[in-house]
């Protein structure tokens, strides 16, 4: 394997680590806003979070293109092949491992925050049901932002 390509891939991993840490910080800020009932902050947080997601996505595209140009699988096996000639304690392998751990943390934090958003949405839906005298059969919003509008008319006395 070409050491220049290993270096290029390693540089992309370093960029991904930086962006991942920034995204984790935003996920923590998002969690604080969700648990602190600060919905006014969420729009700005989500917009910033999207920028980091776009950045990470672009880095991943570059990584995948590089692996493909070397005719390697665009997954962990491809990276293992790319780094096969390096010792286990090499910084490239260590950083790849660090990036994998960061990716796991990002996924866990995102799921945690998604659960909180769903809980807040359910609470809001129930409050709207009481205030409007309409009962929802399903949540107004489902996971992933899909809109569902199935409300039944009920009198306020029934609610």
């Amino acid at each position: 394997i070409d050491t220049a390509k290993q270096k290029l891939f390693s540089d992309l991993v370093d960029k991904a680590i930086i962006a991942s840490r920034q995204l984790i910080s935003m996920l923590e800020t998002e969690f604080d806003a969700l648990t602190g009932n600060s919905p006014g902050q969420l729009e700005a947080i989500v917009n910033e979070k999207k920028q980091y997601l776009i950045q990470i996505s672009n880095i991943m595209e570059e990584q995948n293109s590089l692996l493909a140009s070397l005719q390697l699988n665009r997954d962990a096996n491809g990276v293992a092949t790319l780094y096969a000639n390096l010792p286990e304690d090499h910084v490239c392998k260590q950083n790849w491992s660090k990036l994998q751990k960061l990716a796991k943390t990002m996924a866990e934090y995102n799921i945690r925050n998604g659960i909180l958003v769903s809980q807040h949405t359910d609470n809001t839906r129930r409050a709207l049901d009481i205030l409007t005298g309409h009962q929802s059969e399903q949540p107004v919003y489902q996971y992933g932002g899909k809109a569902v509008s199935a409300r039944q008319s009920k009198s306020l006395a029934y609610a």
Side-chain angles (χ1 to χ4, degrees), residues 22-34:
Q22 291 168 325
L23 180 57
I24 287 171
S25 176
M26 288 310 313
L27 289 166
E28 290 171 341
T29 302
E30 181 182 57
F31 178 77
D32 291 342
L34 289 167

Side-chain angles (χ1 to χ4, degrees), residues 112-125:
R112 174 198 64 189
N113 291 0
I115 289 169
L116 280 174
V117 168
S118 293
Q119 289 171 347
H120 285 297
T121 301
D122 288 343
N123 291 340
T124 301
R125 180 186 44 79

Side-chain angles (χ1 to χ4, degrees), residues 47-109:
N47 287 335
E48 191 171 347
K49 188 172 76 167
K50 284 180 185 177
Q51 296 307 309
Y52 293 121
L53 288 169
I54 290 168
Q55 186 179 0
I56 290 169
S57 177
N58 290 339
I59 293 167
M60 288 177 65
E61 284 180 29
E62 288 182 64
Q63 289 174 330
N64 287 336
S65 294
L66 180 58
L67 290 172
S69 75
L70 295 169
Q71 298 178 342
L72 298 174
N73 292 336
R74 292 172 293 192
D75 58 15
N77 292 329
V79 177
T81 303
L82 178 66
Y83 289 158
N85 67 328
L86 301 176
E88 286 304 312
D89 62 344
H90 193 278
V91 68
C92 291
K93 287 185 174 183
Q94 289 175 353
N95 285 346
W96 176 250
S97 177
K98 188 181 301 182
L99 181 59
Q100 289 175 312
K101 290 174 185 168
L102 288 169
K104 183 178 178 185
T105 300
M106 284 186 289
E108 290 169 356
Y109 283 16

